[in-house]
Amino acid sequence: MKKYLYLLLLIFSELNLFAQEEKSIKLTAGEVESLFLSNNLQLIATRFDVDIADAAIAQAKLWDNPNLSVSDVNLWSTRSQRDGESEVIPPLFGSFAKNTEFSIELSQLIRTANKRGKLVNREKVSKEIALQEFEEVLRGLKVELRKSVYEIQYSQAYLAILINQRESLSRLIGSHKKQVSQGNIAKNELLRLQSSFLELENEINEVRSDLNGLQKTLKVLLNVDPFTDIEIEENRNPEKSPDSILLARLIELADESRPDMKLHKLQTQYHEKSLAYEKSLRVPDLTISANYDRYGGVWKDFIGFGVSIDLPFFNRNQGNVRAARLSRDQSLYLARQQQNIIQHEVAASYNNYVYAYAFYKKINDDSLLPELDNMLDTYTKNLQNRNISMLEYIDFMDAYRANKQTVLTAKKKVSMQFEELQYTVGTEIR
């Protein structure tokens, strides 16, 4: 028995280790976004607000429940009352509670002035608000996701450049060690190469640490297993020229598309519907009733009907009507303020994209940059052949890394500024 138990524990431990092995997947930017839309927990949770709003609409459509009351029940009676009871005309409920006094009343509240309809209309606007709040959450998470993708692509590309440099330096160090051992070169040159190699290793570790943090953010957004390593394929889509984008059209699109602008407009509609509902509350509701009474009065069995209504002498809902009207007026000013903020945000974001794109295009038009990779091999061979000095080689390595980083940063910047522009506009820019 112990032997079988040990075997089972061994199998489970092996399965657990297998499950915790790190998996690596390669995704395009489009695949990342599709996974995000289906898996993100915050989006899934926010969608429930729309269903909650639907439930509120269904609740607002319901009638009030009727009210049934039983009162004036007298369970005590004397023998003379019971013996003196005539059976010529039997009670309405037969022998039920015979010789017992009681009354039953059934009443129903009837809302007037279409209160129920006005409340339903207000809840429908609440649903539209919930939809736009979902769109606002989606807008914020989507720009965060895309910026994370661009950051990861930048870090991956820069890490590849550093690793390439490290391989070149590693080969040089290997050949210099042989030359030092043979007494052909001074040892201080080898030490200088090893020092540069250590600096490069340190930068590689820092980039990997940054990449790990970016991976963590992305995996949380995608709701994937923490043991999954995600590699983002490079985006080959050309950047959109600012010359094909009109600022006036972007401002117009933002006013039509941005969820926060729609929210402010819906808040005004909500307060309009609320004002209409509060005004309807000034009209009193009706309560109709039917009641039965046994032995409560002159007749043994009494059936009566009634109607009740509040008299609006003192309270005509004046305070709530005024508050709803002021809230409506306040929301109009807030909507105008938000529109003003959006226009300036779009203009600033557009200008930032123009600057980023101009710098990126200037770098791409530079004919020397594509030759850098060839120059790296050339400088490495020239140092090995003693055609250049160690100082010249180290200076080139630093310049090579700085130029490559500038190119990658410019590319990342233009992509992120374009996403920021789309974020401020509130829709995809075609």
Side-chain angles (χ1 to χ4, degrees), residues 58-66 108-111 116 288:
Q59 180 63 34
K61 292 179 179 179
L62 299 177
W63 279 66
D64 294 284
N65 289 325
Q108 174 66 55
L109 177 68
I110 299 177
R111 296 189 179 273
R116 188 173 291 102
I288 58 174

Side-chain angles (χ1 to χ4, degrees), residues 80-133:
S80 59
Q81 288 174 322
R82 293 192 295 270
D83 293 342
E85 178 63 29
S86 173
E87 299 294 339
V88 177
I89 304 177
L92 183 64
F93 288 95
S95 61
F96 172 75
K98 185 179 179 182
N99 303 321
T100 301
E101 178 186 350
F102 68 91
S103 63
I104 300 175
E105 182 177 22
L106 180 67
S107 61
Q108 174 66 55
L109 177 68
I110 299 177
R111 296 189 179 273
T112 58
N114 194 26
K115 293 185 181 73
R116 188 173 291 102
K118 290 180 172 65
L119 187 59
V120 168
N121 290 337
R122 191 178 74 175
E123 294 302 328
K124 286 180 178 178
V125 177
S126 292
K127 179 185 176 180
E128 292 298 319
I129 290 173
L131 284 168
Q132 292 309 315
E133 286 175 344

Side-chain angles (χ1 to χ4, degrees), residues 271-330:
H271 291 304
E272 285 280 4
K273 303 295 184 185
S274 183
L275 176 60
Y277 176 69
E278 294 296 343
K279 284 181 177 179
S280 70
L281 292 180
R282 296 185 299 189
V283 180
D285 295 327
L286 289 175
T287 301
I288 58 174
S289 60
N291 65 297
Y292 167 77
D293 185 87
R294 174 180 287 184
Y295 297 120
V298 178
W299 292 283
K300 179 177 63 178
D301 292 306
F302 173 80
I303 299 175
F305 299 93
V307 176
S308 65
I309 186 172
D310 290 335
L311 299 178
F313 290 156
F314 308 111
N315 181 0
R316 302 193 70 244
N317 208 34
Q318 301 95 319
N320 289 334
V321 169
R322 184 168 181 269
R325 185 179 288 111
L326 291 172
S327 296
R328 187 269 318 271
D329 296 342
Q330 181 189 50

Side-chain angles (χ1 to χ4, degrees), residues 29-41:
E31 289 170 341
V32 167
E33 198 153 315
S34 298
L35 195 60
F36 159 77
L37 291 173
S38 61
N39 280 19
N40 186 268
L41 295 177

